Amino acid sequence: MDLSQVKFDEQGLVPVVVQDAKTGEVLTLAYANREALEETLRTRRSTFYSRSRKTLWRKGETSGNIQEVVEVLLDCDGDAVVYRVLPHGPACHTGERSCFHRPLLSGEPSLGFVLSKVYATIQERLKTLPEGSYVAKLHQAGLDRILKKIGEEAGEVIIAAKNQNPEEVRWEATDLLFHLLIVLAELGLTPEDLARTLWERHRPPGGPAPS
Amino acid sequence: MDLSQVKFDEQGLVPVVVQDAKTGEVLTLAYANREALEETLRTRRSTFYSRSRKTLWRKGETSGNIQEVVEVLLDCDGDAVVYRVLPHGPACHTGERSCFHRPLLSGEPSLGFVLSKVYATIQERLKTLPEGSYVAKLHQAGLDRILKKIGEEAGEVIIAAKNQNPEEVRWEATDLLFHLLIVLAELGLTPEDLARTLWERHRPPGGPAPS
């Protein structure tokens, strides 16, 4: 690992943007010294330097809320770093998933966030089968029932598109996508499995190579 | 707008993580003073404070590469901010989309990134119709041909799931998703339109409300 391009500041630190690798959420802005960055790259666990405690800070060491690091990116100037992580538990000491939970201006959640969250809800429903849940009901009716929905919703997309009705297509394509997520969950697959496969086949020229 | 919760440092600055609202990419780490933050919230354009030039820095003022700001988030401590933006052109002075383009550890792209990028490629193909492009060929064959693919791929997902074959489902569901993206593009819809609709219907309890 070559850290010669990293420009630590006069206190020997570099700011680290911690991002959820699946949902894309920015979780925390923290700081790393050389030792923390080296340990992160070696152990693939988020490690920082605590400016208040003036020590190495191994995220999750006491709370258990570790972060698996899947990617580390350096910026053009070499003076800022991104850790893309798979968090185990909340990133924030308040118990919130992300430290950035106070909107000064509210917007819509991103595509990656929505798909990850809706899929996680589907998984939860399949596990706990709560009364009144549509996903639970569909699961209890059996795989054939779910697959009939795939056929049905695909048919509705086709009809809506033949009607040249974008609103109807938006509606029916969402239904199809939702039921496709249920099929994935039933088969033990994730939206990330589809994203990876899609990227392997269709990444544009110059796009980052699949790992 | 209430900036009383923002803790500016001794130089009157707060670090700003700039993130692509669609793809989830972290684009830049910059800094804002109170004036820059106020202007960002008022104009909904990324505005920073340039520490080297010691002036307000209106992103894109000279390059034209402005960033529309769709969300601004403050962290738990009040000492870091996220701008979620729709960038017009590259964020980085090197011409790269993101300043964070130098991997110290390489990982796979996120779901939001892959879907946004593949969809953008489809849009580009539909616009330029390059020779040898599958999307261009499908478009030229007409909407009926594309919709037949939806029916065909949905059928293949059904058969793969009936075969209890996750690998086959992964493959066929990716095909279905890809052709669904083509239908969206043909009808002038985006993956974000589906995400918004999905979130309106299925957001888990406690999830952020759709705007």
mmCIF file of all heavy atoms in Angstrom, chain B residues 154-193:
data_model
loop_
_atom_site.group_PDB
_atom_site.id
_atom_site.type_symbol
_atom_site.label_atom_id
_atom_site.label_comp_id
_atom_site.label_asym_id
_atom_site.label_seq_id
_atom_site.Cartn_x
_atom_site.Cartn_y
_atom_site.Cartn_z
ATOM 1 N N ALA B 154 -39.329 -11.955 -18.225
ATOM 2 C CA ALA B 154 -40.165 -12.264 -17.058
ATOM 3 C C ALA B 154 -40.435 -13.770 -17.014
ATOM 4 O O ALA B 154 -40.346 -14.398 -15.951
ATOM 5 C CB ALA B 154 -41.471 -11.480 -17.112
ATOM 6 N N GLY B 155 -40.708 -14.347 -18.175
ATOM 7 C CA GLY B 155 -40.913 -15.796 -18.259
ATOM 8 C C GLY B 155 -39.670 -16.556 -17.816
ATOM 9 O O GLY B 155 -39.772 -17.574 -17.121
ATOM 10 N N GLU B 156 -38.521 -16.059 -18.205
ATOM 11 C CA GLU B 156 -37.277 -16.739 -17.829
ATOM 12 C C GLU B 156 -36.989 -16.642 -16.334
ATOM 13 O O GLU B 156 -36.451 -17.569 -15.728
ATOM 14 C CB GLU B 156 -36.119 -16.197 -18.686
ATOM 15 C CG GLU B 156 -36.264 -16.692 -20.128
ATOM 16 C CD GLU B 156 -35.234 -16.146 -21.107
ATOM 17 O OE1 GLU B 156 -34.453 -15.256 -20.728
ATOM 18 O OE2 GLU B 156 -35.229 -16.614 -22.260
ATOM 19 N N VAL B 157 -37.352 -15.508 -15.721
ATOM 20 C CA VAL B 157 -37.229 -15.394 -14.257
ATOM 21 C C VAL B 157 -38.130 -16.438 -13.595
ATOM 22 O O VAL B 157 -37.716 -17.128 -12.647
ATOM 23 C CB VAL B 157 -37.614 -13.972 -13.773
ATOM 24 C CG1 VAL B 157 -37.766 -13.931 -12.251
ATOM 25 C CG2 VAL B 157 -36.576 -12.949 -14.231
ATOM 26 N N ILE B 158 -39.351 -16.552 -14.089
ATOM 27 C CA ILE B 158 -40.322 -17.495 -13.516
ATOM 28 C C ILE B 158 -39.791 -18.933 -13.600
ATOM 29 O O ILE B 158 -39.803 -19.680 -12.617
ATOM 30 C CB ILE B 158 -41.693 -17.356 -14.229
ATOM 31 C CG1 ILE B 158 -42.319 -15.993 -13.892
ATOM 32 C CG2 ILE B 158 -42.628 -18.505 -13.856
ATOM 33 C CD1 ILE B 158 -43.543 -15.621 -14.719
ATOM 34 N N ILE B 159 -39.294 -19.290 -14.771
ATOM 35 C CA ILE B 159 -38.783 -20.657 -14.964
ATOM 36 C C ILE B 159 -37.556 -20.917 -14.079
ATOM 37 O O ILE B 159 -37.457 -21.957 -13.422
ATOM 38 C CB ILE B 159 -38.452 -20.884 -16.458
ATOM 39 C CG1 ILE B 159 -39.766 -20.914 -17.266
ATOM 40 C CG2 ILE B 159 -37.670 -22.180 -16.657
ATOM 41 C CD1 ILE B 159 -39.568 -20.758 -18.769
ATOM 42 N N ALA B 160 -36.643 -19.934 -14.016
ATOM 43 C CA ALA B 160 -35.438 -20.088 -13.190
ATOM 44 C C ALA B 160 -35.796 -20.250 -11.718
ATOM 45 O O ALA B 160 -35.193 -21.062 -11.002
ATOM 46 C CB ALA B 160 -34.513 -18.883 -13.384
ATOM 47 N N ALA B 161 -36.795 -19.472 -11.262
ATOM 48 C CA ALA B 161 -37.216 -19.571 -9.856
ATOM 49 C C ALA B 161 -37.892 -20.912 -9.598
ATOM 50 O O ALA B 161 -37.674 -21.533 -8.553
ATOM 51 C CB ALA B 161 -38.156 -18.412 -9.503
ATOM 52 N N LYS B 162 -38.707 -21.384 -10.557
ATOM 53 C CA LYS B 162 -39.334 -22.701 -10.416
ATOM 54 C C LYS B 162 -38.280 -23.795 -10.360
ATOM 55 O O LYS B 162 -38.449 -24.820 -9.720
ATOM 56 C CB LYS B 162 -40.296 -22.967 -11.592
ATOM 57 C CG LYS B 162 -41.625 -22.251 -11.496
ATOM 58 C CD LYS B 162 -42.431 -22.639 -10.264
ATOM 59 C CE LYS B 162 -43.025 -24.053 -10.372
ATOM 60 N NZ LYS B 162 -43.718 -24.412 -9.100
ATOM 61 N N ASN B 163 -37.144 -23.558 -11.050
ATOM 62 C CA ASN B 163 -36.034 -24.513 -10.993
ATOM 63 C C ASN B 163 -35.210 -24.377 -9.702
ATOM 64 O O ASN B 163 -34.234 -25.097 -9.526
ATOM 65 C CB ASN B 163 -35.111 -24.323 -12.202
ATOM 66 C CG ASN B 163 -35.739 -24.823 -13.487
ATOM 67 O OD1 ASN B 163 -36.653 -25.646 -13.454
ATOM 68 N ND2 ASN B 163 -35.255 -24.309 -14.618
ATOM 69 N N GLN B 164 -35.614 -23.421 -8.856
ATOM 70 C CA GLN B 164 -34.893 -23.168 -7.588
ATOM 71 C C GLN B 164 -33.400 -22.958 -7.852
ATOM 72 O O GLN B 164 -32.549 -23.477 -7.126
ATOM 73 C CB GLN B 164 -35.097 -24.335 -6.602
ATOM 74 C CG GLN B 164 -36.508 -24.459 -6.063
ATOM 75 C CD GLN B 164 -36.842 -23.383 -5.017
ATOM 76 O OE1 GLN B 164 -35.949 -22.724 -4.480
ATOM 77 N NE2 GLN B 164 -38.123 -23.174 -4.767
ATOM 78 N N ASN B 165 -33.115 -22.198 -8.906
ATOM 79 C CA ASN B 165 -31.725 -21.991 -9.317
ATOM 80 C C ASN B 165 -31.338 -20.511 -9.159
ATOM 81 O O ASN B 165 -31.575 -19.703 -10.057
ATOM 82 C CB ASN B 165 -31.579 -22.439 -10.782
ATOM 83 C CG ASN B 165 -30.135 -22.407 -11.235
ATOM 84 O OD1 ASN B 165 -29.327 -21.630 -10.729
ATOM 85 N ND2 ASN B 165 -29.811 -23.253 -12.203
ATOM 86 N N PRO B 166 -30.737 -20.157 -8.017
ATOM 87 C CA PRO B 166 -30.425 -18.744 -7.752
ATOM 88 C C PRO B 166 -29.511 -18.126 -8.810
ATOM 89 O O PRO B 166 -29.704 -16.973 -9.193
ATOM 90 C CB PRO B 166 -29.713 -18.771 -6.390
ATOM 91 C CG PRO B 166 -30.127 -20.045 -5.761
ATOM 92 C CD PRO B 166 -30.333 -21.013 -6.885
ATOM 93 N N GLU B 167 -28.541 -18.891 -9.314
ATOM 94 C CA GLU B 167 -27.634 -18.363 -10.332
ATOM 95 C C GLU B 167 -28.397 -17.969 -11.593
ATOM 96 O O GLU B 167 -28.152 -16.923 -12.190
ATOM 97 C CB GLU B 167 -26.574 -19.415 -10.695
ATOM 98 C CG GLU B 167 -25.265 -19.233 -9.984
ATOM 99 C CD GLU B 167 -24.757 -17.795 -10.074
ATOM 100 O OE1 GLU B 167 -24.195 -17.437 -11.115
ATOM 101 O OE2 GLU B 167 -24.933 -17.026 -9.109
ATOM 102 N N GLU B 168 -29.328 -18.856 -11.984
ATOM 103 C CA GLU B 168 -30.142 -18.599 -13.165
ATOM 104 C C GLU B 168 -31.090 -17.414 -12.921
ATOM 105 O O GLU B 168 -31.296 -16.594 -13.815
ATOM 106 C CB GLU B 168 -30.948 -19.873 -13.452
ATOM 107 C CG GLU B 168 -31.367 -20.092 -14.890
ATOM 108 C CD GLU B 168 -32.178 -21.398 -15.019
ATOM 109 O OE1 GLU B 168 -31.752 -22.443 -14.446
ATOM 110 O OE2 GLU B 168 -33.242 -21.350 -15.660
ATOM 111 N N VAL B 169 -31.629 -17.323 -11.708
ATOM 112 C CA VAL B 169 -32.516 -16.202 -11.377
ATOM 113 C C VAL B 169 -31.726 -14.891 -11.428
ATOM 114 O O VAL B 169 -32.194 -13.885 -11.967
ATOM 115 C CB VAL B 169 -33.167 -16.376 -9.980
ATOM 116 C CG1 VAL B 169 -33.879 -15.098 -9.550
ATOM 117 C CG2 VAL B 169 -34.141 -17.551 -9.984
ATOM 118 N N ARG B 170 -30.506 -14.913 -10.873
ATOM 119 C CA ARG B 170 -29.655 -13.717 -10.892
ATOM 120 C C ARG B 170 -29.461 -13.248 -12.333
ATOM 121 O O ARG B 170 -29.583 -12.068 -12.649
ATOM 122 C CB ARG B 170 -28.296 -14.035 -10.245
ATOM 123 C CG ARG B 170 -27.322 -12.875 -10.210
ATOM 124 C CD ARG B 170 -26.070 -13.221 -9.408
ATOM 125 N NE ARG B 170 -25.226 -14.204 -10.069
ATOM 126 C CZ ARG B 170 -24.313 -13.917 -11.000
ATOM 127 N NH1 ARG B 170 -24.127 -12.671 -11.386
ATOM 128 N NH2 ARG B 170 -23.595 -14.869 -11.535
ATOM 129 N N TRP B 171 -29.183 -14.174 -13.200
ATOM 130 C CA TRP B 171 -28.941 -13.883 -14.604
ATOM 131 C C TRP B 171 -30.176 -13.311 -15.285
ATOM 132 O O TRP B 171 -30.141 -12.264 -15.935
ATOM 133 C CB TRP B 171 -28.473 -15.194 -15.273
ATOM 134 C CG TRP B 171 -27.684 -14.998 -16.502
ATOM 135 C CD1 TRP B 171 -28.098 -15.232 -17.777
ATOM 136 C CD2 TRP B 171 -26.337 -14.517 -16.588
ATOM 137 N NE1 TRP B 171 -27.093 -14.931 -18.648
ATOM 138 C CE2 TRP B 171 -26.005 -14.488 -17.946
ATOM 139 C CE3 TRP B 171 -25.397 -14.103 -15.647
ATOM 140 C CZ2 TRP B 171 -24.756 -14.059 -18.417
ATOM 141 C CZ3 TRP B 171 -24.158 -13.674 -16.099
ATOM 142 C CH2 TRP B 171 -23.845 -13.659 -17.455
ATOM 143 N N GLU B 172 -31.289 -14.016 -15.141
ATOM 144 C CA GLU B 172 -32.521 -13.633 -15.850
ATOM 145 C C GLU B 172 -33.140 -12.367 -15.250
ATOM 146 O O GLU B 172 -33.687 -11.540 -15.983
ATOM 147 C CB GLU B 172 -33.536 -14.789 -15.827
ATOM 148 C CG GLU B 172 -33.023 -16.103 -16.418
ATOM 149 C CD GLU B 172 -32.545 -15.983 -17.868
ATOM 150 O OE1 GLU B 172 -32.806 -14.952 -18.512
ATOM 151 O OE2 GLU B 172 -31.891 -16.935 -18.351
ATOM 152 N N ALA B 173 -33.043 -12.212 -13.937
ATOM 153 C CA ALA B 173 -33.587 -11.000 -13.297
ATOM 154 C C ALA B 173 -32.788 -9.776 -13.741
ATOM 155 O O ALA B 173 -33.345 -8.686 -13.904
ATOM 156 C CB ALA B 173 -33.569 -11.140 -11.773
ATOM 157 N N THR B 174 -31.477 -9.954 -13.959
ATOM 158 C CA THR B 174 -30.654 -8.851 -14.477
ATOM 159 C C THR B 174 -31.092 -8.488 -15.886
ATOM 160 O O THR B 174 -31.225 -7.305 -16.225
ATOM 161 C CB THR B 174 -29.162 -9.240 -14.461
ATOM 162 O OG1 THR B 174 -28.795 -9.586 -13.126
ATOM 163 C CG2 THR B 174 -28.289 -8.084 -14.930
ATOM 164 N N ASP B 175 -31.362 -9.494 -16.706
ATOM 165 C CA ASP B 175 -31.884 -9.256 -18.058
ATOM 166 C C ASP B 175 -33.199 -8.491 -18.013
ATOM 167 O O ASP B 175 -33.404 -7.541 -18.779
ATOM 168 C CB ASP B 175 -32.146 -10.597 -18.775
ATOM 169 C CG ASP B 175 -30.919 -11.084 -19.542
ATOM 170 O OD1 ASP B 175 -30.014 -10.268 -19.794
ATOM 171 O OD2 ASP B 175 -30.876 -12.281 -19.875
ATOM 172 N N LEU B 176 -34.081 -8.924 -17.121
ATOM 173 C CA LEU B 176 -35.388 -8.266 -17.008
ATOM 174 C C LEU B 176 -35.200 -6.812 -16.592
ATOM 175 O O LEU B 176 -35.793 -5.901 -17.182
ATOM 176 C CB LEU B 176 -36.266 -9.028 -16.002
ATOM 177 C CG LEU B 176 -37.651 -8.436 -15.717
ATOM 178 C CD1 LEU B 176 -38.459 -8.239 -16.995
ATOM 179 C CD2 LEU B 176 -38.430 -9.325 -14.732
ATOM 180 N N LEU B 177 -34.347 -6.597 -15.583
ATOM 181 C CA LEU B 177 -34.096 -5.238 -15.089
ATOM 182 C C LEU B 177 -33.512 -4.360 -16.197
ATOM 183 O O LEU B 177 -33.924 -3.208 -16.380
ATOM 184 C CB LEU B 177 -33.133 -5.307 -13.893
ATOM 185 C CG LEU B 177 -32.813 -3.999 -13.189
ATOM 186 C CD1 LEU B 177 -34.081 -3.330 -12.647
ATOM 187 C CD2 LEU B 177 -31.822 -4.240 -12.040
ATOM 188 N N PHE B 178 -32.574 -4.901 -16.956
ATOM 189 C CA PHE B 178 -31.942 -4.144 -18.046
ATOM 190 C C PHE B 178 -32.977 -3.710 -19.085
ATOM 191 O O PHE B 178 -33.015 -2.545 -19.501
ATOM 192 C CB PHE B 178 -30.841 -4.997 -18.695
ATOM 193 C CG PHE B 178 -30.137 -4.310 -19.822
ATOM 194 C CD1 PHE B 178 -29.340 -3.194 -19.588
ATOM 195 C CD2 PHE B 178 -30.264 -4.769 -21.125
ATOM 196 C CE1 PHE B 178 -28.687 -2.540 -20.632
ATOM 197 C CE2 PHE B 178 -29.601 -4.133 -22.175
ATOM 198 C CZ PHE B 178 -28.816 -3.017 -21.925
ATOM 199 N N HIS B 179 -33.834 -4.649 -19.477
ATOM 200 C CA HIS B 179 -34.847 -4.307 -20.483
ATOM 201 C C HIS B 179 -35.918 -3.371 -19.913
ATOM 202 O O HIS B 179 -36.478 -2.543 -20.632
ATOM 203 C CB HIS B 179 -35.453 -5.579 -21.082
ATOM 204 C CG HIS B 179 -34.499 -6.287 -21.994
ATOM 205 N ND1 HIS B 179 -33.628 -7.258 -21.544
ATOM 206 C CD2 HIS B 179 -34.231 -6.120 -23.319
ATOM 207 C CE1 HIS B 179 -32.883 -7.679 -22.566
ATOM 208 N NE2 HIS B 179 -33.230 -7.006 -23.651
ATOM 209 N N LEU B 180 -36.157 -3.484 -18.602
ATOM 210 C CA LEU B 180 -37.088 -2.554 -17.954
ATOM 211 C C LEU B 180 -36.512 -1.133 -17.997
ATOM 212 O O LEU B 180 -37.248 -0.165 -18.224
ATOM 213 C CB LEU B 180 -37.328 -3.012 -16.506
ATOM 214 C CG LEU B 180 -38.512 -2.387 -15.758
ATOM 215 C CD1 LEU B 180 -39.840 -2.696 -16.444
ATOM 216 C CD2 LEU B 180 -38.561 -2.881 -14.302
ATOM 217 N N LEU B 181 -35.187 -1.013 -17.813
ATOM 218 C CA LEU B 181 -34.542 0.306 -17.916
ATOM 219 C C LEU B 181 -34.703 0.876 -19.329
ATOM 220 O O LEU B 181 -34.903 2.083 -19.500
ATOM 221 C CB LEU B 181 -33.047 0.221 -17.556
ATOM 222 C CG LEU B 181 -32.688 -0.072 -16.100
ATOM 223 C CD1 LEU B 181 -31.172 -0.153 -15.933
ATOM 224 C CD2 LEU B 181 -33.260 0.991 -15.156
ATOM 225 N N ILE B 182 -34.645 0.009 -20.338
ATOM 226 C CA ILE B 182 -34.835 0.469 -21.723
ATOM 227 C C ILE B 182 -36.264 0.984 -21.916
ATOM 228 O O ILE B 182 -36.478 2.047 -22.510
ATOM 229 C CB ILE B 182 -34.517 -0.656 -22.741
ATOM 230 C CG1 ILE B 182 -33.058 -1.120 -22.589
ATOM 231 C CG2 ILE B 182 -34.776 -0.177 -24.177
ATOM 232 C CD1 ILE B 182 -32.673 -2.284 -23.487
ATOM 233 N N VAL B 183 -37.249 0.231 -21.376
ATOM 234 C CA VAL B 183 -38.644 0.678 -21.482
ATOM 235 C C VAL B 183 -38.812 2.040 -20.812
ATOM 236 O O VAL B 183 -39.445 2.957 -21.358
ATOM 237 C CB VAL B 183 -39.615 -0.355 -20.858
ATOM 238 C CG1 VAL B 183 -41.039 0.197 -20.824
ATOM 239 C CG2 VAL B 183 -39.582 -1.657 -21.640
ATOM 240 N N LEU B 184 -38.230 2.199 -19.619
ATOM 241 C CA LEU B 184 -38.306 3.491 -18.921
ATOM 242 C C LEU B 184 -37.764 4.604 -19.799
ATOM 243 O O LEU B 184 -38.393 5.652 -19.966
ATOM 244 C CB LEU B 184 -37.505 3.453 -17.608
ATOM 245 C CG LEU B 184 -37.974 2.524 -16.501
ATOM 246 C CD1 LEU B 184 -37.097 2.717 -15.260
ATOM 247 C CD2 LEU B 184 -39.429 2.743 -16.154
ATOM 248 N N ALA B 185 -36.569 4.372 -20.356
ATOM 249 C CA ALA B 185 -35.924 5.396 -21.181
ATOM 250 C C ALA B 185 -36.793 5.725 -22.400
ATOM 251 O O ALA B 185 -36.950 6.892 -22.765
ATOM 252 C CB ALA B 185 -34.536 4.924 -21.622
ATOM 253 N N GLU B 186 -37.383 4.702 -23.000
ATOM 254 C CA GLU B 186 -38.244 4.919 -24.173
ATOM 255 C C GLU B 186 -39.458 5.784 -23.828
ATOM 256 O O GLU B 186 -39.946 6.544 -24.655
ATOM 257 C CB GLU B 186 -38.723 3.573 -24.750
ATOM 258 C CG GLU B 186 -37.637 2.740 -25.423
ATOM 259 C CD GLU B 186 -37.347 3.209 -26.858
ATOM 260 O OE1 GLU B 186 -38.001 4.143 -27.333
ATOM 261 O OE2 GLU B 186 -36.442 2.603 -27.489
ATOM 262 N N LEU B 187 -39.945 5.640 -22.591
ATOM 263 C CA LEU B 187 -41.144 6.383 -22.176
ATOM 264 C C LEU B 187 -40.798 7.690 -21.466
ATOM 265 O O LEU B 187 -41.681 8.369 -20.941
ATOM 266 C CB LEU B 187 -42.008 5.505 -21.245
ATOM 267 C CG LEU B 187 -43.038 4.546 -21.854
ATOM 268 C CD1 LEU B 187 -44.270 5.310 -22.318
ATOM 269 C CD2 LEU B 187 -42.497 3.639 -22.932
ATOM 270 N N GLY B 188 -39.491 8.020 -21.398
ATOM 271 C CA GLY B 188 -39.092 9.275 -20.758
ATOM 272 C C GLY B 188 -39.093 9.212 -19.245
ATOM 273 O O GLY B 188 -39.146 10.239 -18.562
ATOM 274 N N LEU B 189 -39.049 7.996 -18.696
ATOM 275 C CA LEU B 189 -38.990 7.819 -17.242
ATOM 276 C C LEU B 189 -37.567 7.482 -16.818
ATOM 277 O O LEU B 189 -36.745 7.069 -17.645
ATOM 278 C CB LEU B 189 -39.931 6.690 -16.812
ATOM 279 C CG LEU B 189 -41.434 6.935 -17.030
ATOM 280 C CD1 LEU B 189 -42.188 5.614 -17.026
ATOM 281 C CD2 LEU B 189 -41.978 7.859 -15.942
ATOM 282 N N THR B 190 -37.262 7.633 -15.530
ATOM 283 C CA THR B 190 -35.924 7.341 -15.020
ATOM 284 C C THR B 190 -36.002 6.313 -13.881
ATOM 285 O O THR B 190 -37.066 6.117 -13.288
ATOM 286 C CB THR B 190 -35.272 8.613 -14.438
ATOM 287 O OG1 THR B 190 -36.023 9.018 -13.282
ATOM 288 C CG2 THR B 190 -35.246 9.748 -15.449
ATOM 289 N N PRO B 191 -34.878 5.679 -13.554
ATOM 290 C CA PRO B 191 -34.861 4.794 -12.388
ATOM 291 C C PRO B 191 -35.264 5.541 -11.115
ATOM 292 O O PRO B 191 -35.880 4.965 -10.230
ATOM 293 C CB PRO B 191 -33.398 4.335 -12.298
ATOM 294 C CG PRO B 191 -32.807 4.581 -13.632
ATOM 295 C CD PRO B 191 -33.567 5.709 -14.238
ATOM 296 N N GLU B 192 -34.937 6.838 -11.060
ATOM 297 C CA GLU B 192 -35.316 7.645 -9.887
ATOM 298 C C GLU B 192 -36.836 7.770 -9.772
ATOM 299 O O GLU B 192 -37.372 7.854 -8.664
ATOM 300 C CB GLU B 192 -34.687 9.040 -9.943
ATOM 301 C CG GLU B 192 -33.197 9.079 -9.637
ATOM 302 C CD GLU B 192 -32.333 8.559 -10.788
ATOM 303 O OE1 GLU B 192 -32.756 8.679 -11.959
ATOM 304 O OE2 GLU B 192 -31.248 8.019 -10.508
ATOM 305 N N ASP B 193 -37.527 7.784 -10.915
ATOM 306 C CA ASP B 193 -38.995 7.808 -10.868
ATOM 307 C C ASP B 193 -39.530 6.547 -10.177
ATOM 308 O O ASP B 193 -40.460 6.611 -9.388
ATOM 309 C CB ASP B 193 -39.583 7.898 -12.290
ATOM 310 C CG ASP B 193 -39.377 9.261 -12.922
ATOM 311 O OD1 ASP B 193 -39.417 10.267 -12.198
ATOM 312 O OD2 ASP B 193 -39.156 9.316 -14.144
#
